[in-house]
Amino acid sequence: MEYRFFVHPNSEVIKLMRKYENLCDLLEQNPAARRFFDTLPDYVQESIQERGDNIRYDRDLRGYAEKLLRGDD
């Protein structure tokens, strides 16, 4: 299991982010990510699933979904 640490430049708060194997692992292990994914339109879910091997962090899922909803991809 791999973790990454992020430090906000204006504070000393450190955020711990877990790295998952792929989208499937993320959705199985992270209930918040699953709830978010389930709220997305079908076409967005399908596009995300096509790139599932590249989605290893919750932020990856949310960022890609936002791009798709804006029509950037």
Side-chain angles (χ1 to χ4, degrees):
M1 182 180 315
E2 180 180 324
Y3 291 93
R4 291 202 179 170
F5 295 90
F6 296 91
V7 179
H8 189 277
N10 296 329
S11 70
E12 295 189 26
V13 175
I14 297 175
K15 184 175 182 182
L16 183 64
M17 295 191 75
R18 178 175 174 199
K19 181 178 182 182
Y20 297 89
E21 292 297 317
N22 53 37
L23 175 65
C24 220
D25 186 37
L26 169 65
L27 297 178
E28 287 176 4
Q29 301 293 322
N30 186 325
R34 169 50 82 177
R35 285 190 300 273
F36 173 76
F37 182 81
D38 289 344
T39 66
L40 297 170
D42 290 342
Y43 78 94
V44 174
Q45 288 183 13
E46 290 169 10
S47 294
I48 290 171
Q49 287 171 332
E50 290 173 3
R51 293 192 179 174
D53 288 342
N54 298 320
I55 297 175
R56 297 201 166 105
Y57 293 95
D58 183 79
R59 71 162 191 266
D60 296 340
L61 169 62
R62 292 173 188 278
Y64 188 42
E66 289 173 9
K67 286 177 68 173
L68 289 167
L69 291 168
R70 283 193 315 260
D72 290 350
D73 196 67

